[in-house]
Amino acid sequence: MASLWGGRFEKEMDDIVKQFNASIGFDQRMYDDDIDGSIAHVTMLAEQGILTVEEKEQIVAGLEAIRTKIAAGEIVFTVEDEDIHMGIESRLIAEIGEVGKKLHTARSRNDQCQVDTRLYLKKELREVVHRLCYLESVILEKASQYAETIVPGFTHIQHAQPVTVGFIFMAYFQMFRRDIDRLEAAYERMNYCPLGSCALAGTTLPIDRHRTAELLGFAAPSENAMDSVSDRDYCLDFLSAAAISCMHLSRWAEEFVWWNSQEFSYIDIDDSYCTGSSIMPQKKNPDMAELLRGKAGRVYGDLMQLLTVMKGTPMAYNKDFQEDKEGLFDAVDTWKASITIFANMLEKTEFRVEQIARQFDKGFLNATDVAEHLVTKGIAFREAHSIVGRMVKACEHKACDFTDLSDEDLAAIDPRLSQDVLGDISMQACVEARKSFGGTAPAEVRRQIAVGTAWLQTVEEEWA
Ligand code: ARG
């Protein structure tokens, strides 16, 4: 079969060249967008008097018929189609005859593939925002359920200070909030229509690019035709946001793996989100969490691939750019699935409050609280730090806690010390006292939840 561009060729492409050259295997997922773009294009061409209204109507009807057939699985694309753009155009010509040959007036596949990808990505970006919003809603719900549940907070995987489970949840809430912010910014930047840029330099025909931009729901046409056909920044924006967000998911997934271990036993992940071992009958493994860690690596790969493809490519279109899609599609699929899996797993995970409480007597979680308490008694923080350091040493010698030190033990460390001076240093008191803005006190976590809930509501409304 001769290609639509075959006029100047005397030989057909070699079979392996057809295979190597074709993008139809993956770009057919954008068939809807391709048809939407074509319909807007011919609508504008007719309004500009470049096509007659009659011609436009025939083309639109033909395209809609093809859309229905593709959706019904009645069209099987092959490498002969090369890509979705020619796959649809050649079928249109077969379907409606000569008039179909007017569709490609004043456009090129260089701008066409870009309008398709932007339309596709805008839809998928919206879907990602919806999924992140769902994840955020689960986080808010769980944060409120566990706003008072105390848990050791770590630095360097060492007991540091007591925090609440709700507080940890709200830390992750902020990460996903930034992911949504990044997507909003990416959306704004990608919302320009390249259609009508043609091969690289625009066209001599009297098209109206503002009109096609408007018909397709873009903010405006892209400003410069050469940039429009060569730009993949919007894909990289999306991929960067995906990579960062999957990194966030992988960090929390890592905590799930730890929390689920026998050593921690902080959580009980629902059976439906775990798998067993083919040899060890007792096993219940956190495979979803591990896969989420792994998927982040995969999405980084998608980002790196496109950054590397784009590096050093000259103006304007180069076939290298066809390599933009598979990684992008992979990131879309992987990110979407990762968010949903994580949100569901989170929703079904319960914290073992008693088991967590058994860890409180390890690692002097309240040491900073004692030091801060001494500050309120007029002792300089640096001195208080050193006094508590000596208290820790004394406790280590006696294998006991701060509260087990006698007044004599304390006075030997510093004459100003006594159990009375230490005050209430229970985990509960320590957590409740951390009321500084952004701190872990339940009241403060509830404030963060309220702010987060209000923000989420506006985002959900904006992206409804
Ligand atoms: N399938 C191509 C791509 O995705 C469409 C553009 C082809 N343009 C060209 N001049 N060969 O990049």
Side-chain angles (χ1 to χ4, degrees):
M1 183 176 79
S3 178
L4 290 177
W5 44 251
R8 58 102 70 217
F9 284 78
E10 285 173 357
K11 286 185 184 170
E12 270 227 40
M13 271 188 282
D14 203 286
D15 276 346
I16 61 164
V17 172
K18 282 184 189 168
Q19 292 281 355
F20 197 67
N21 185 52
S23 54
I24 188 66
F26 46 89
D27 65 14
Q28 55 183 289
R29 83 153 72 185
M30 303 191 301
Y31 77 86
D32 246 333
D33 311 294
D34 194 77
I35 291 172
D36 288 344
S38 292
I39 290 176
H41 188 62
V42 291
T43 302
M44 177 277 292
L45 291 178
E47 286 171 6
Q48 295 300 104
I50 301 168
L51 294 187
T52 66
V53 171
E54 156 85 344
E55 286 169 334
K56 174 205 105 180
E57 274 163 11
Q58 276 177 270
I59 293 174
V60 170
L63 288 169
E64 289 297 4
I66 290 168
R67 192 197 313 260
T68 308
K69 280 192 195 161
I70 300 175
E74 285 164 26
I75 291 181
V76 180
F77 293 107
T78 70
V79 286
E80 300 294 336
D81 291 297
E82 191 172 321
D83 57 28
I84 189 60
H85 324 299
M86 294 206 301
I88 289 174
E89 191 187 336
S90 59
R91 276 176 186 73
L92 180 75
I93 295 167
E95 189 110 354
I96 66 171
E98 285 301 296
V99 62
K101 295 183 179 169
K102 296 198 170 185
L103 168 63
H104 210 54
T105 311
R107 74 172 190 190
S108 149
R109 279 183 297 155
N110 296 354
D111 56 339
Q112 192 184 351
C113 71
Q114 286 312 285
V115 82
D116 291 8
T117 310
R118 283 179 191 244
L119 287 170
Y120 162 83
L121 202 54
K122 279 172 60 179
K123 278 193 292 198
E124 291 291 6
L125 187 152
R126 183 170 292 276
E127 175 60 24
V128 175
V129 170
H130 288 163
R131 291 186 191 216
L132 283 171
C133 284
Y134 173 64
L135 171 58
E136 293 287 59
S137 73
V138 174
I139 294 176
L140 287 170
E141 187 191 303
K142 286 278 181 181
S144 153
Q145 180 187 342
Y146 293 114
E148 267 93 35
T149 308
I150 298 170
V151 65
F154 290 80
T155 60
H156 314 274
I157 319 264
Q158 307 266 324
H159 276 198
Q161 294 171 350
V163 296
T164 65
V165 172
F167 180 66
I168 298 176
F169 276 44
M170 290 312 289
Y172 283 102
F173 182 90
Q174 299 306 325
M175 298 184 212
F176 299 117
R177 176 176 175 162
R178 290 193 293 273
D179 291 342
I180 291 175
D181 289 348
R182 256 184 289 278
L183 282 172
E184 288 181 328
Y187 186 90
E188 221 164 276
R189 272 197 292 275
M190 77 173 65
N191 200 16
Y192 293 91
C193 185
L195 189 57
S197 295
C198 303
L200 76 165
T203 174
T204 58
L205 297 166
I207 61 169
D208 182 354
R209 290 191 55 215
H210 292 271
R211 180 67 178 138
T212 37
E214 184 195 351
L215 286 168
L216 291 168
F218 287 98
S222 52
E223 194 65 27
N224 176 288
M226 182 177 271
D227 175 51
S228 308
V229 295
S230 317
D231 170 31
R232 299 296 182 274
D233 290 3
Y234 68 98
C235 302
L236 290 166
D237 272 345
F238 181 90
L239 288 165
S240 314
I244 294 172
S245 179
C246 288
M247 175 270 286
H248 292 152
L249 288 167
S250 85
R251 292 182 70 185
W252 208 353
E254 166 74 0
E255 300 222 69
F256 266 64
V257 174
W258 279 92
W259 291 343
N260 186 67
S261 68
Q262 277 79 22
E263 278 65 24
F264 275 76
S265 290
Y266 280 11
I267 55 172
D268 193 13
I269 305 178
D270 198 73
D271 273 7
S272 60
Y273 276 70
C274 292
T275 65
S277 156
S278 63
I279 177 170
M280 295 170 282
Q282 85 283 15
K283 294 282 271 175
K284 175 176 156 183
N285 295 325
D287 289 36
M288 293 312 104
E290 292 166 32
L291 267 173
L292 285 161
R293 280 190 318 209
K295 298 286 185 192
R298 176 179 178 139
V299 172
Y300 290 4
D302 295 330
L303 169 63
M304 283 309 138
Q305 184 219 1
L306 186 57
L307 280 171
T308 313
V309 163
M310 295 310 291
K311 175 186 168 299
T313 49
M315 286 289 133
Y317 178 86
N318 305 276
K319 195 62 173 255
D320 317 36
F321 298 167
Q322 181 167 285
E323 292 295 319
D324 60 357
K325 288 174 205 64
E326 282 164 293
L328 183 67
F329 296 163
D330 181 68
V332 164
D333 296 342
T334 308
W335 192 9
K336 274 166 44 181
S338 297
I339 298 165
T340 301
I341 288 283
F342 193 86
N344 292 351
M345 182 172 76
L346 186 62
E347 197 168 32
K348 291 170 191 282
T349 298
E350 295 305 329
F351 279 75
R352 297 193 168 116
V353 180
E354 284 110 63
Q355 161 62 19
I356 294 173
R358 273 183 227 129
Q359 312 307 316
F360 293 162
D361 52 5
K362 296 177 194 156
F364 303 97
L365 283 159
N366 48 6
T368 317
D369 303 80
V370 175
E372 288 189 351
H373 197 69
L374 297 180
V375 167
T376 68
K377 305 284 176 201
I379 299 176
F381 180 75
R382 191 46 65 215
E383 204 189 338
H385 185 289
S386 156
I387 290 170
V388 180
R390 279 177 274 139
M391 284 171 58
V392 168
K393 260 273 143 305
C395 287
E396 278 178 353
H397 274 300
K398 298 184 93 181
C400 72
D401 256 339
F402 292 149
T403 46
D404 304 319
L405 294 173
S406 65
D407 282 344
E408 295 77 64
D409 295 332
L410 289 167
I413 291 165
D414 188 283
R416 289 165 292 184
L417 286 188
S418 69
Q419 279 297 336
D420 271 356
V421 169
L422 297 189
D424 186 357
I425 50 168
S426 64
M427 293 297 126
Q428 186 78 23
C430 293
V431 162
E432 267 164 24
R434 284 213 151 67
K435 290 196 281 270
S436 56
F437 189 86
T440 191
E444 177 51 28
V445 170
R446 294 215 182 273
R447 184 198 61 78
Q448 294 171 28
I449 293 172
V451 171
T453 305
W455 165 80
L456 184 59
Q457 201 179 330
T458 53
V459 173
E460 281 171 346
E461 279 161 17
E462 265 167 50
W463 290 86

